[in-house]
Amino acid sequence: MGKQQAVEKFSSLPNNIIDQLFHTTNEGIMITDDEMNISLVNTAFESMTGYRLEDVQGKSPRILQSGKQNTIFYKKMWKDIHINGSWQGEIWNKRKNGEVYPERLAIHKIVNEEGILTNYFAVFSDISHKKYIEKEIEELTLTDSLTNIMNRHTFYEQLEVLIERSKSSISEHAILFIDLDRFKQINETLGNEVGDLILLEVANRINSVVRNSDLVARHGGDEFLVTITNLDYQKEAGQFANDLNDLLNQPFHINGREIYITTSIGISFYPQDGIEVETLIQKADKAMYFAKQNGRNQYAFYFDELQNDAKRLLLLESELRKAIQQKAFVVHYQPKVSIDTQQIIGVEALVRWTNDQLGVVSPAEFIPYAEDTGLIIPLSEVILEKVCVDLADWRSRGTQHLPVSINIAALHFQQDDFMERINAIIMKYNCSPHQLELELTERTVMHDSESIVNKLIKLKHMGFKISIDDFGTGYSSLSYLNRFPLNYLKVDSSFIQQMTELKDKQAIVDSIILMAHRLHIKVIAEGAETEDQVKLLKEMGCDIIQGYYFSKPIQSSELLDFLELWEILKQERNIL
């Protein structure tokens, strides 16, 4: 029997039988309207989630989100639903009592006879017990059943033995926490069988480059652990991680397909970062997430109190100078969304730096240091060059009007030849000032105000947009703002992230928006991360929102794809 025939046969059943089937099945069922508002749920849904129909009716299914899946996951899921009509896979959701649990979920798009979307239909089952049994079986074995390398429990035991032996010596070991980037997408698009073959090949490749004394394990899912024993220098671990990334970047040939993956690696050191197994692995895991959040396909060392170590500062200065000479920086871009049009109206350029000795270096560390040493001037010009190169690339691929905002440091802006230097760079790459927005802090523009005003006026006549960044943290003077030819005020993220909890922060944001609008200046809210923050900003009349709620900073190579998928993403973030 074909699918359409089955549907017609089911539809012909008496309503009382359909109702009985709906409410007696063991699987949870949720039906929404075409705008993703929950219309109906069954008894199993109420039992599994703790929500009754009256709790969720008319609300978005986002009420069930656990936070374990990121925007990219949901973007891919909704793309499949809109293109293929359905999606299925494993997902973590949250019950009414706050408990997070795994479920097997299938979502289907329902259209009427004219092909017009009318509803979404979701069916799910709680697989907590299945996951528990899998964990119990894993603990009873020494090796991972798929890859035939150590499982995590054996690795923990072996690392404990290694640490115990090392207590009487001066041995130093590195623990690498390895995570495959976006591996869920492979499982979802190519199937678990292909995913398993890739995991097996990853294990084989790792094994091919470690020594007999090193430890290798599958931590679970798409995560692996490696211990490099008896290091002479810590940079050996960085070099190993770099080489391993290169090795895993090589194509995987699976069932006639050529598949590429990248990895994020975190590194901790025994005994520097700890002498307990759990501590060392947690710190390597933390470093891995830092590497992932700062661009993926890289490694990062765990640093805590060592951030301010004099030895590190010396290394930071020498490596920063080299990086500027070699232009060894990457620019990521964070979209800015107009509340009125729901369109992406621009992006902010944010610099990223990975060094083979320092690992991933946070901008919060190297930007202030560059400002203190004067290196911020050549660094800023390197960033501007890279932005101009990306703008030229986007134009060649059909994206003509995507303004980019760039942070301008006070020392750079105060140079007598500032305008001549940035204009020379823009002309070199055939860019226009109309494509750029210059972001300056309050403290930058409040000094020597007459010359500052003249310079800002000239920049605006050249075609640049002018924005005051981190507004609210400096002078916030109405009399000063009235003199400046400003296009935007950016409210500092510290106010945005606290305004839903603290009434005084909310009042400050509301006042800034009202003040700016009276001066015909648009307001950008920076650092919006939650739906409540975005809703409140909309109620206040904010013009533009930037933050992780819509997108983290993304690489230039991924930005145009993100723009194409924005229509789908808007449905996920449909509160505007």
Side-chain angles (χ1 to χ4, degrees):
M1 180 185 299
K3 180 179 177 181
Q4 184 61 37
Q5 294 166 315
V7 169
E8 290 173 357
K9 185 172 182 179
F10 179 79
S11 302
S12 66
L13 292 172
N15 288 338
N16 64 324
I17 296 179
I18 294 176
D19 187 64
Q20 188 175 358
L21 288 171
F22 185 77
H23 287 289
T24 57
T25 179
N26 291 327
E27 294 184 308
I29 298 175
M30 175 179 66
I31 300 172
T32 76
D33 60 22
D34 61 330
E35 294 184 349
M36 288 297 292
N37 300 308
I38 298 173
S39 305
L40 189 63
V41 300
N42 70 344
T43 305
F45 174 100
E46 296 179 330
S47 175
M48 274 188 264
T49 68
Y51 287 104
R52 301 188 64 79
L53 174 61
E54 53 265 32
D55 296 329
V56 297
Q57 195 166 39
K59 294 183 179 179
S60 166
R62 285 195 298 274
I63 195 173
L64 303 172
Q65 288 184 5
S66 66
K68 279 183 170 286
Q69 290 83 213
N70 59 24
T71 300
I72 301 299
F73 174 90
Y74 288 110
K75 175 177 70 174
K76 174 63 178 60
M77 182 180 81
W78 283 107
K79 181 180 178 182
D80 284 354
I81 293 170
H82 284 281
I83 293 175
N84 303 320
S86 65
W87 175 90
Q88 63 178 345
E90 292 184 3
I91 190 172
W92 289 85
N93 269 341
K94 185 168 64 177
R95 307 187 206 276
K96 185 178 181 180
N97 64 7
E99 179 189 353
V100 175
Y101 70 100
E103 66 180 36
R104 183 72 184 175
L105 171 67
I107 303 175
H108 301 274
K109 184 170 67 172
I110 308 298
V111 298
N112 61 20
E113 293 178 353
E114 288 77 33
I116 298 172
L117 174 68
T118 59
N119 302 91
Y120 293 97
F121 182 87
V123 182
F124 64 93
S125 55
D126 187 336
I127 56 173
S128 301
H129 183 68
K130 172 176 174 287
K131 293 290 185 183
Y132 175 78
I133 295 298
E134 289 175 352
K135 183 179 179 182
E136 288 287 298
I137 293 172
E138 181 185 6
E139 291 179 356
L140 293 174
T141 62
L142 296 176
T143 59
D144 175 64
S145 58
L146 173 64
T147 61
N148 205 34
I149 59 177
M150 291 182 199
N151 60 26
R152 87 177 105 184
H153 308 289
T154 308
F155 181 90
Y156 280 41
E157 291 175 358
Q158 292 295 315
L159 183 54
E160 186 73 58
V161 171
L162 175 65
I163 289 173
E164 192 62 36
R165 287 203 311 261
S166 301
K167 287 180 179 178
S168 59
S169 67
I170 56 171
S171 301
E172 185 172 29
H173 315 300
I175 293 81
L176 279 67
F177 199 110
I178 304 164
D179 181 87
L180 309 188
D181 298 328
R182 302 185 182 89
F183 187 72
K184 286 183 180 179
Q185 293 183 11
I186 292 176
N187 277 333
E188 291 165 1
T189 56
L190 302 179
N192 291 331
E193 181 181 350
V194 171
D196 287 348
L197 291 173
I198 290 175
L199 291 173
L200 178 59
E201 178 60 20
V202 167
N204 291 337
R205 292 190 188 186
I206 295 174
N207 261 332
S208 71
V209 293
V210 297
R211 302 164 300 183
N212 291 334
S213 60
D214 297 334
L215 306 176
V216 180
R218 184 182 176 201
H219 187 255
D222 58 353
E223 298 171 339
F224 294 83
L225 292 166
V226 174
T227 295
I228 307 172
T229 60
N230 302 313
L231 294 169
D232 292 323
Y233 304 99
Q234 290 187 354
K235 67 180 182 180
E236 293 175 33
Q239 186 59 55
F240 176 87
N242 197 52
D243 292 343
L244 183 58
N245 260 339
D246 290 342
L247 178 64
L248 296 176
N249 283 345
Q250 299 301 311
F252 290 74
H253 298 281
I254 308 291
N255 297 338
R257 293 178 178 268
E258 195 172 78
I259 302 168
Y260 291 86
I261 66 169
T262 60
T263 54
S264 297
I265 302 175
I267 305 173
S268 64
F269 293 99
Y270 166 89
Q272 173 181 291
D273 296 324
I275 58 173
E276 301 292 334
V277 170
E278 288 285 352
T279 301
L280 289 165
I281 292 176
Q282 284 173 6
K283 289 185 175 181
D285 185 18
K286 185 176 180 180
M288 180 275 292
Y289 273 103
F290 186 76
K292 189 175 287 290
Q293 290 168 359
N294 285 273
R296 298 185 173 91
N297 195 28
Q298 59 190 340
Y299 69 89
F301 295 131
Y302 177 81
F303 282 105
D304 190 3
E305 68 277 6
L306 295 177
Q307 291 285 8
N308 297 317
D309 184 80
K311 184 177 172 182
R312 177 173 172 82
L313 286 176
L314 288 172
L315 182 60
L316 177 63
E317 180 175 4
S318 62
E319 292 302 309
L320 184 56
R321 290 183 184 277
K322 289 180 190 174
I324 291 171
Q325 291 172 356
Q326 298 166 1
K327 302 181 180 180
F329 299 92
V330 175
V331 178
H332 288 196
Y333 297 91
Q334 188 169 40
K336 296 187 284 189
V337 179
S338 166
I339 290 183
D340 287 339
T341 66
Q342 301 183 36
Q343 296 300 319
I344 294 171
I345 52 86
V347 293
E348 180 181 2
L350 299 164
V351 65
R352 299 290 182 261
W353 178 35
T354 302
N355 178 265
D356 60 358
Q357 294 190 60
L358 297 167
V360 176
V361 189
S362 169
E365 181 182 9
F366 72 83
I367 294 292
Y369 191 77
E371 290 175 336
D372 290 343
T373 58
L375 293 173
I376 193 66
I377 296 173
L379 173 59
S380 297
E381 293 179 355
V382 168
I383 296 168
L384 178 57
E385 283 192 25
K386 288 186 172 289
V387 168
C388 288
V389 169
D390 287 337
L391 282 168
D393 177 55
W394 300 340
R395 286 199 306 272
S396 70
R397 294 199 275 166
T399 300
Q400 302 290 334
H401 306 291
L402 186 65
V404 178
S405 59
I406 300 177
N407 292 280
I408 302 298
L411 182 62
H412 192 202
F413 184 74
Q414 290 161 8
Q415 300 303 301
D416 292 337
D417 61 349
F418 170 76
M419 290 189 291
E420 291 77 9
R421 292 174 71 94
I422 65 168
N423 195 47
I425 294 171
I426 292 170
M427 291 179 64
K428 177 181 176 181
Y429 293 96
N430 196 29
C431 291
S432 166
H434 294 88
Q435 297 175 284
L436 296 169
E437 173 188 326
L438 306 182
E439 292 191 7
L440 302 103
T441 64
E442 282 184 86
R443 298 181 187 277
T444 300
V445 299
M446 295 307 170
H447 297 295
D448 191 17
S449 60
E450 195 62 44
S451 64
I452 295 292
V453 170
N454 290 335
K455 187 177 285 189
L456 290 175
I457 290 172
K458 289 178 182 177
L459 287 167
K460 190 150 187 192
H461 285 164
M462 291 169 66
F464 293 102
K465 295 283 196 303
I466 308 296
S467 172
I468 297 296
D469 197 11
D470 301 333
F471 190 78
T473 60
Y475 298 88
S476 306
S477 168
L478 180 62
S479 61
Y480 277 115
L481 290 179
N482 197 33
R483 298 180 64 199
F484 297 146
L486 302 178
N487 298 98
Y488 305 103
L489 284 186
K490 275 188 105 168
V491 184
D492 186 67
S493 60
S494 62
F495 294 106
I496 304 302
Q497 291 167 7
Q498 297 178 52
M499 68 179 185
T500 53
E501 287 80 30
L502 301 176
K503 293 297 183 184
D504 59 334
K505 302 293 185 185
Q506 181 177 329
I508 291 172
V509 174
D510 198 22
S511 299
I512 291 173
I513 293 172
L514 287 172
M515 177 184 68
H517 285 173
R518 286 179 180 176
L519 295 172
H520 308 291
I521 301 171
K522 291 189 175 182
V523 177
I524 303 171
E526 184 178 28
E529 296 181 354
T530 70
E531 182 174 331
D532 288 342
Q533 291 166 0
V534 174
K535 282 183 175 178
L536 186 54
L537 287 166
K538 182 180 180 182
E539 291 170 5
M540 290 178 175
C542 184
D543 303 288
I544 299 163
I545 296 179
Q546 175 185 344
Y548 274 66
Y549 181 77
F550 291 113
S551 173
K552 66 172 188 175
I554 50 184
Q555 298 179 55
S556 174
S557 58
E558 300 175 354
L559 181 60
L560 298 189
D561 290 337
F562 181 88
L563 296 178
E564 289 181 7
L565 288 167
W566 177 242
E567 292 302 317
I568 296 174
L569 284 171
K570 279 199 301 187
Q571 296 188 28
E572 178 191 337
R573 298 285 191 252
N574 64 4
I575 63 169
L576 293 182

